[in-house]
Amino acid sequence: MHALRWWQKGMVGVSVAVLAFLYLPIVILVVFSFNDSSVTSFPLAGFTLRWYQAFLSNAAMLKALANSLTVALFATAVSVIVGVTAALALDHFDFPGKRLFQNVILLPLSLPGIVTGIAMLNFYKQIGIPQSLGAVVIGHATALLGVVVSQVMARLAKLDRRVLEASADLGAAPLETFFKVVLPAIRTSILGSALLCFTLSFDEIPVTYFLTGREVTLPIYIYSTLRRGITPEINAIGSVIVAVSFVLIVLSVTLLRDRK
Amino acid sequence: MSVQRRQRFGAFAALFSVPFLWALVFMIVPYLVMISVSFWTRQFPLFVPDFQFGNFVQIFSDPQYTTVILRTLKIAALVTLGALALGYPLAYFLVFTVRSEGLRNLLYMSVIVPLWVSYLLRAYTWKIILGTDGAVNSLLRMVGLIDEPLTVFLYNQTSMVITLVYIFVPFMVMPLFAVLSNIPKALIEASEDLGVGPFMTFWKVVFPLSLGGVVAGATMTFCLSFGDFVAPVLVGGPDGTMVANLLQSQFGAALNWPLGSALATLVLVLVLAVLQVSSRMDRAGRVGLG
Amino acid sequence: MISRPIVALSGVAKSYSSFIALDTTDLSLGEGEFVTLLGPSGCGKTTTLRLIGGFELADRGRIEIAGEDVTAKPPYRRPVNTVFQEYALFPHMTVAENIGYGLSVKANNVPAAERRRRVTEALAMVGLEEMGMRRTAELSGGQRQRVAMARAIVRRPRVLLLDEPLSALDVKLREGMQMELKRLHRELGITFLMVTHDQQEALALSDRIVVMNRGRIVQIGSPAELYDAPTTPYVADFIGTSNLVPVRSVGSDGQFDHLLMADGTRLRRRRRPGDRVFPNGQSVLAGIRPERLLTSDGGEVNRLAGRIVEALFQGDRVRIEIALAGGYERRSIFANVTRTASTASGAIEPGTEISLQVDPFDIMLFAAEDGQ
């Protein structure tokens, strides 16, 4: 084991500090969700589960939760169907305007959600679609398309062309090759990006904010509650969301990572 | 056209029509509608189709808007620098200092996972940390450092920069980790073998080869923080209004969709310009590692 | 020449935008032959193989396999199978699943019991009896090669296509696999068409070699024909190596061509039936293989004089670079001389004068305009 030089030690210090910076706020959120006080301040006032009981008996919040789950489920399904076909088309074929098409589909990855939200709001207004959860589903699916396309395309790019040729050489027609060779190779990337889409849709604010009608999703509910003030109930539901998201994301990242 | 080519075209059409129609109807058309609405006029309470540049003139001449745009640019730039300052050492540490593959993967995962974990709640935690009765103030009071809560923490630009840096650090680490991992360790050994010390080796070898990652991370961070509207609402104060909040009010209380669309078009153009510049830079700065 | 070809290409051509990968080409393969397509990269050999496999479609011409026109047919409707470069094994399947894949596809639905029997048989044929349940990632290079072979032969194709099958193996393993290929070819009795850039491999394995360059077939023949009687300087230098010395033709009689070197040395070349006659005074190229230049003292005929530039020790022999005398100063030739003879004839040191002899049978003659 070789000794670290002083500047490397400094680097370790910075890194540990950054990791702490990333996790301390989450820890604080969780700690205060169990704190028996209606203000989020130290010293801690003892352990309680009442904030969790509070949100479990908050009908409006539970309704918003159910809306969020429904929206996330449908948005994910659409994103995966449209995204996987887009990735396959982009990977298999050359056609004029291919780069432009790819850039358009990937644009929402680096475009603030608010622009997508406003663009769709304008569009809906023109063709007369009312603001609703259905409108939100379409908005989410569109904004998250890039996640699926980029992940599945990255996996397809690693697929050895010769393996596809080998399948055809051995007598498999294109569809059979797709199901027996291509799909197994990209399955984990589809699953991983679906999990990612689900979590992102579940947490989405800017697009939802502009497209939703009277029915709200959980993040919008929390967001409007927060503007009125902090309640520890938010800490409780927040801790649950963070915990579930964490599990889903870890699963997703594991699935999306390249195995060598 | 042979049978096989015709079949191939059929397969292409079948595969491509779904995403193409989707992108056309739900992306390209809405963006075009938004852009055209930005040229409309408002005759309260209606918006009238028109082709005039009044909304853009207003955005660029009214100090109420220019101040906010300049402030947003400043904050996005500060957030980008902050995320780079924290993200680079972390990525470097993960790639070059951590020896064990397993530990490296675990740490990398723990850095990028928060990226996707509830954006709203991660912004919100800073409200409970920095607030008047929040974690920091109450902790300082508890240990007796202060008597009255400090107000410097919340509802100002500093709190916004802190919150946004916190949100976007993983975006910076991800591409940096990828480019740094691709730098062969032998290059560093070769540089040290040639008598160059660690600092100059970093400056002359590692850093230039990692520029692609710096550009990629900075682009994402800048674009996304420029359009953020949750952090300003939660932790920003009266001087913390950003472009997104202006936008929001045009579609809410101010009810001026044409002006709002013009602002959104501006953000869209800015993002496209930044993406264009960064892909140029990336291509120019890309060094082949055979 | 081949009564019933199993593969016949007539007038086949393929280009990619402006690059002509394969110029209009005719080629026939006989039943049970081992044919090799040999040439440098970009010569069109891989394109030819891929056209026969169906992975590329010809721009022009017609391809027949076993009497059937397959020109427009996709790979999965052709009675050929391919051993791919770097093997292209399915990473998510076991060895047995890889081999059984071609039998399980719908077009070729073999009942499970029959499939198992044939997979076992194929495994035995390539010496991997115990390996069926392994994952392909666990295999060595040589084992993967065998799986690729087994997978390709299990469907009993009429023709087996091999795309640089041994290029991913190290030298020792490659020699062993050459033996294996030869044995499989004999046991299966089907036509093998192999692509390689390794002339040694081509010479060792093939019944016929098709030498290609720049999208064209340059010469087709048995290994011995190509080695002994190349028709162009290109083939002379690609199959083995050849020194090409510009000389002047000064007449032929029935038995010999007479050639004049720049320094006035006369060479005699033994004519073969059907050889071209070059007019008196025409510039031609004399091709002499390095291993046919001898240091032994066999009289004064056909002697080339020069000075040793460099000598490389190669174990059983010494490779010498020689600057020829009289007008050839900037052109070196090479000679591979056996060591017993060279040591007997004195020190081989750079700078010393040397005189080498060549048998009249061992001179090849090409028109100068054939170029390289």
Side-chain angles (χ1 to χ4, degrees), chain B residues 71 93 156 158 165 188 192 201 204 231 238:
Chain B
R71 176 192 302 146
F93 162 77
N156 56 31
T158 315
V165 167
I188 293 163
E192 291 184 345
T201 295
K204 298 231 165 195

Side-chain angles (χ1 to χ4, degrees), chain C residues 124-192:
Chain C
M125 196 140 190
V126 295
L128 292 178
E129 289 89 341
E130 308 300 319
M131 299 286 199
M133 297 321 286
R134 293 281 186 95
R135 292 246 143 216
T136 56
E138 302 164 16
L139 303 181
S140 70
Q143 289 168 334
R144 302 173 127 242
Q145 165 69 52
R146 286 159 197 267
V147 176
M149 297 283 307
R151 185 178 70 174
I153 61 176
V154 78
R155 295 181 73 209
R156 299 172 185 153
R158 302 295 300 270
V159 180
L160 186 69
L161 306 175
L162 304 107
D163 187 4
E164 303 263 7
L166 308 181
S167 64
L169 302 176
D170 63 47
V171 183
K172 282 258 162 66
L173 215 56
R174 206 178 302 166
E175 282 170 4
M177 282 309 293
Q178 286 184 2
M179 300 283 182
E180 286 281 293
L181 271 181
K182 201 85 181 165
R183 176 182 64 82
L184 269 175
H185 178 243
R186 199 177 49 244
E187 287 176 11
L188 292 167
I190 60 172
T191 306
F192 277 32

Side-chain angles (χ1 to χ4, degrees), chain C residues 32-58:
Chain C
E33 264 194 308
F34 196 132
V35 179
T36 299
L37 301 172
L38 176 67
S41 63
C43 72
K45 57 188 194 298
T46 302
T47 303
T48 308
L49 192 86
R50 292 175 62 81
L51 284 165
I52 297 170
F55 309 115
E56 309 282 347
L57 291 180

Side-chain angles (χ1 to χ4, degrees), chain B residues 22-289:
Chain B
W22 188 277
L24 186 70
V25 174
F26 295 118
M27 300 177 92
I28 296 172
V29 171
Y31 290 140
L32 292 178
V33 168
M34 178 184 83
I35 292 169
S36 54
V37 171
S38 72
F39 297 108
W40 290 14
T41 20
R42 179 175 72 144
Q43 291 171 353
F44 194 80
L46 293 172
F47 313 122
V48 184
D50 197 350
F51 187 76
Q52 47 89 28
F53 293 87
N55 297 316
F56 291 97
V57 172
Q58 192 180 348
I59 290 170
F60 286 113
S61 58
D62 188 339
Q64 187 195 338
Y65 297 114
T66 48
T67 317
V68 173
I69 291 170
L70 289 177
R71 176 192 302 146
T72 312
L73 284 172
K74 183 184 88 181
I75 285 175
L78 285 174
V79 170
T80 308
L81 283 178
L84 185 62
L86 296 186
Y88 203 107
L90 181 55
Y92 188 93
F93 162 77
L94 288 178
V95 174
F96 292 112
T97 312
V98 177
R99 295 279 160 129
S100 131
E101 180 98 16
L103 182 62
R104 174 165 45 236
N105 285 337
L106 185 74
L107 287 175
Y108 177 65
M109 182 106 110
S110 56
V111 174
I112 62 166
V113 163
L115 180 59
W116 294 299
V117 169
S118 188
Y119 158 79
L120 170 68
L121 290 164
R122 285 189 305 133
Y124 157 73
T125 53
W126 286 95
K127 196 181 171 81
I128 62 174
I129 292 169
L130 300 174
T132 320
D133 291 325
V136 173
N137 265 325
S138 57
L139 202 62
L140 289 178
R141 212 156 23 157
M142 198 172 95
V143 296
L145 276 174
I146 52 170
D147 297 324
E148 286 297 302
L150 295 173
T151 50
V152 296
F153 297 125
L154 198 59
Y155 305 124
N156 56 31
Q157 296 186 9
T158 315
S159 60
M160 246 165 29
V161 171
I162 292 175
T163 304
L164 287 172
V165 167
Y166 168 71
I167 287 172
F168 290 116
V169 161
F171 263 125
M172 199 56 104
V173 175
M174 228 171 8
L176 284 173
F177 182 84
V179 288
L180 290 175
S181 305
N182 280 336
I183 297 176
K185 304 278 181 291
L187 289 186
I188 293 163
E189 287 166 6
S191 171
E192 291 184 345
D193 177 70
L194 294 167
V196 179
F199 278 120
M200 286 316 274
T201 295
F202 170 77
W203 185 243
K204 298 231 165 195
V205 180
V206 178
F207 186 69
L209 289 172
S210 68
L211 273 179
V214 173
V215 169
T219 305
M220 288 291 265
T221 306
F222 185 85
C223 290
L224 293 177
S225 55
F226 186 83
D228 189 82
F229 88 120
V230 170
V233 169
L234 293 183
V235 298
D239 70 336
T241 309
M242 304 231 306
V243 168
N245 310 107
L246 274 189
L247 263 168
Q248 198 187 341
S249 66
Q250 300 310 317
F251 287 87
L255 203 65
N256 190 347
W257 285 30
L259 186 68
S261 298
L263 272 167
T265 302
L266 196 71
V267 177
L268 177 66
V269 169
L270 181 96
V271 168
L272 288 176
V274 171
L275 288 178
Q276 190 62 32
V277 170
S278 94
S279 84
R280 284 270 166 81
M281 277 170 70
D282 195 13
R283 222 169 296 151
R286 197 177 296 152
V287 189
L289 287 173

Side-chain angles (χ1 to χ4, degrees), chain A residues 1-2 4-8 11-12 14-16 18-19 21-26 28-29 32 39-44 78 81-83 85-86 88-90 92-95 99 101 104-116 118-126 129 131 137-138 141-143 145 151 196 199-200 203 205-207 209-210 218-220 222-223 226-227 229-232 234-235 237-239 241-243 245-246 249-250 253-254 257 260, chain B residues 8-9 11-12 14-16 18-20 22-23 25-31 33-34 37 40 47 85-94 96-97 99 101 105-122 124-129 133-136 138-139 141-142 162-163 165-167 169-171 173 192 198-199 219-220 223-230 233-234 243-245 247-248 251 257 260-261 264-265 267-268 271-272 275 283:
Chain A
M1 190 67 209
H2 86 160
L4 296 178
R5 267 167 273 185
W6 66 266
W7 59 278
Q8 283 174 315
M11 190 91 74
V12 174
V14 172
S15 305
V16 171
V18 175
L19 280 170
F21 176 60
L22 284 174
Y23 280 90
L24 224 49
I26 296 175
I28 286 177
L29 176 75
F32 279 114
V39 289
T40 52
S41 52
F42 290 106
L44 296 171
V78 175
I81 292 167
V82 179
T85 47
L88 287 170
L90 285 166
H92 279 317
F93 301 100
D94 270 316
F95 49 92
R99 279 203 62 87
F101 175 71
V104 168
I105 282 206
L106 297 181
L107 181 63
L109 288 181
S110 29
L111 186 68
I114 191 165
V115 180
T116 308
I118 286 170
M120 294 198 104
L121 176 60
N122 271 307
F123 172 64
Y124 287 161
K125 187 84 173 175
Q126 291 310 311
I129 298 180
Q131 282 152 291
V137 167
I138 294 177
T142 307
L145 210 49
Q151 296 299 337
L196 197 53
T199 346
L200 291 176
D203 290 328
I205 290 238
V207 173
Y209 180 85
F210 290 101
L218 189 56
I220 296 290
I222 295 174
Y223 178 73
L226 286 179
R227 299 179 77 177
I230 299 173
T231 72
I234 302 288
N235 295 344
I237 180 79
S239 299
I241 294 175
V242 166
S245 308
F246 221 93
I249 296 296
V250 168
V253 172
T254 312
R257 203 168 34 198
K260 286 177 187 155
Chain B
R8 209 174 145 72
F9 183 76
F12 170 68
L15 212 52
F16 188 58
V18 175
F20 175 73
W22 188 277
V25 174
F26 295 118
M27 300 177 92
I28 296 172
V29 171
Y31 290 140
V33 168
M34 178 184 83
V37 171
W40 290 14
F47 313 122
L86 296 186
Y88 203 107
L90 181 55
Y92 188 93
F93 162 77
L94 288 178
F96 292 112
T97 312
R99 295 279 160 129
E101 180 98 16
N105 285 337
L106 185 74
L107 287 175
Y108 177 65
M109 182 106 110
S110 56
V111 174
I112 62 166
V113 163
L115 180 59
W116 294 299
V117 169
S118 188
Y119 158 79
L120 170 68
L121 290 164
R122 285 189 305 133
Y124 157 73
T125 53
W126 286 95
K127 196 181 171 81
I128 62 174
I129 292 169
D133 291 325
V136 173
S138 57
L139 202 62
R141 212 156 23 157
M142 198 172 95
I162 292 175
T163 304
V165 167
Y166 168 71
I167 287 172
V169 161
F171 263 125
V173 175
E192 291 184 345
F199 278 120
T219 305
M220 288 291 265
C223 290
L224 293 177
S225 55
F226 186 83
D228 189 82
F229 88 120
V230 170
V233 169
L234 293 183
V243 168
N245 310 107
L247 263 168
Q248 198 187 341
F251 287 87
W257 285 30
S261 298
T265 302
V267 177
L268 177 66
V271 168
L272 288 176
L275 288 178
R283 222 169 296 151

Side-chain angles (χ1 to χ4, degrees), chain C residues 102 109 121 132 135 142 169 188 191 200 214 219 268 296 303:
Chain C
N109 213 342
E121 195 181 281
R135 292 246 143 216
L169 302 176
L188 292 167
T191 306
Q200 216 52 55
R214 294 183 185 161
Q219 189 174 356
R268 284 197 312 167
S296 54
R303 279 202 163 275

